[in-house]
Amino acid sequence: QVQLVESGGGLVQAGGSLRLSCAASGGTFSSYGWFRQAPGKEREFVAAITWSGGSTYYTDSVKGRFTISRDNAKNTVFLQMNSLKPEDTAVYYCAVSGGGVRDIRNYDYWGQGTQVTVSS
């Protein structure tokens, strides 16, 4: 059974950093992604990485500030978030896809989410 467990969320001041982790079990997948959902908003794509080649993808608003990476041996994906802004406040979800990386419909399994709050 596939299980994704996120950790690393918390409260941080604007300009600060957090590192999210997503430990996967029960299989390996083509792509691993991070999404976020702010109150009253739809869940949106943040970043993704392909498992084999390590290609990375980001939404424009986090480029240059967030970095996605993976540890193949541990089947774990990370999201390093720097220069955080209040608008980054959301619940962050890890997910896995067997296909495309940006379309939420391609993601089959999801973690429970971890709260990230950035104060101004």
Side-chain angles (χ1 to χ4, degrees), residues 72-95:
N72 290 36
K74 296 182 178 180
N75 206 6
T76 300
V77 176
F78 306 96
L79 186 67
Q80 177 66 42
M81 306 186 295
N82 299 329
S83 302
L84 282 161
K85 304 175 181 180
E87 50 263 44
D88 293 319
T89 296
V91 177
Y92 283 70
Y93 297 90
C94 173

Side-chain angles (χ1 to χ4, degrees), residues 8-104:
L11 172 64
V12 64
Q13 289 188 331
S17 298
L18 284 174
R19 189 192 194 206
L20 305 183
S21 298
C22 173
S25 60
T28 56
F29 300 85
S30 297
S31 305
Y32 291 68
W34 286 97
F35 289 75
R36 65 186 179 187
Q37 188 167 18
K41 295 187 177 181
E42 293 187 352
R43 194 170 296 188
E44 65 173 356
F45 170 80
V46 176
I49 188 167
T50 60
W51 199 247
S52 58
S55 297
T56 57
Y57 307 83
Y58 299 92
T59 192
D60 287 345
S61 62
V62 308
K63 285 180 181 177
R65 300 189 298 122
F66 291 11
T67 302
I68 189 170
S69 61
R70 74 202 194 288
D71 183 331
N72 290 36
K74 296 182 178 180
N75 206 6
T76 300
V77 176
F78 306 96
L79 186 67
Q80 177 66 42
M81 306 186 295
N82 299 329
S83 302
L84 282 161
K85 304 175 181 180
E87 50 263 44
D88 293 319
T89 296
V91 177
Y92 283 70
Y93 297 90
C94 173
V96 293
S97 168
V101 298
R102 294 184 183 272
D103 191 337
I104 194 172

